[in-house]
Amino acid sequence: MTTVLVVEDNKAQREMISDLLTKMGLKVNVASDGVEALEQIDGNPPDLVVLDIIMPRMNGYEVCRRLKSDTKTQNLVVVMCSAKKEEFDRYWGMKQGADAYIAKPFHPQELIGTVKQLLRA
């Protein structure tokens, strides 16, 4: 079964994204910040990470950089999902190695379509 890790410090957002992905038939794990995410990924890497940017302890940019610079996790698919929606934020997210960038608020179909496309690739 395909596993997705949702990294989001906002509980309501985390649950909403998790519910959407679970309904797609994916196994969903959650982390509430970047440090917790890296700890989970180290022990059991998922197939895809949905990653918020603004979080306590370690932001999403740093998490993405660490994942993409480590040979064990460099091929992990990362979807940044953030309220930072300026063009520069999208550019910077992709520059850190993200495979896709979705600005909040988003339509559920945008997230579902992006995840499906990246998992197929």
Side-chain angles (χ1 to χ4, degrees), residues 48-51 64 67-68 76-80 97-100 118:
L48 183 141
V49 178
V50 176
L51 183 61
C64 190
L67 292 174
K68 295 300 183 170
L76 194 57
V77 179
V78 176
V79 177
M80 285 196 163
D99 297 279
L118 289 168

Side-chain angles (χ1 to χ4, degrees), residues 19-115:
D19 288 348
L20 277 173
L21 298 172
T22 301
K23 287 179 182 153
M24 287 175 61
L26 302 170
K27 180 180 186 301
V28 178
N29 295 325
V30 296
S32 57
D33 65 47
V35 173
E36 187 182 334
L38 290 176
E39 287 168 356
Q40 281 194 42
I41 290 166
D42 188 44
N44 188 14
D47 299 291
L48 183 141
V49 178
V50 176
L51 183 61
D52 186 21
I53 294 174
I54 305 167
M55 297 182 293
R57 296 205 298 166
M58 185 185 298
N59 70 46
Y61 293 138
E62 179 66 20
V63 173
C64 190
R65 271 195 302 274
R66 288 186 185 204
L67 292 174
K68 295 300 183 170
S69 66
D70 185 331
T71 54
K72 292 186 304 224
T73 55
Q74 67 188 10
N75 295 323
L76 194 57
V77 179
V78 176
V79 177
M80 285 196 163
C81 187
S82 177
K84 293 174 72 67
K85 53 182 160 223
E86 297 300 319
E87 195 52 44
F88 176 78
D89 300 316
R90 182 180 303 273
Y91 164 81
W92 193 244
M94 300 305 279
K95 188 109 173 114
Q96 305 317 302
D99 297 279
Y101 191 104
I102 297 173
K104 295 177 196 170
F106 58 85
H107 291 285
Q109 275 311 120
E110 183 181 6
L111 178 66
I112 291 167
T114 300
V115 168

Side-chain angles (χ1 to χ4, degrees), residues 9-25:
D9 61 323
N10 179 292
K11 186 176 190 284
Q13 290 272 335
R14 191 169 58 239
E15 289 176 359
M16 188 264 297
I17 294 169
S18 296
D19 288 348
L20 277 173
L21 298 172
T22 301
K23 287 179 182 153
M24 287 175 61

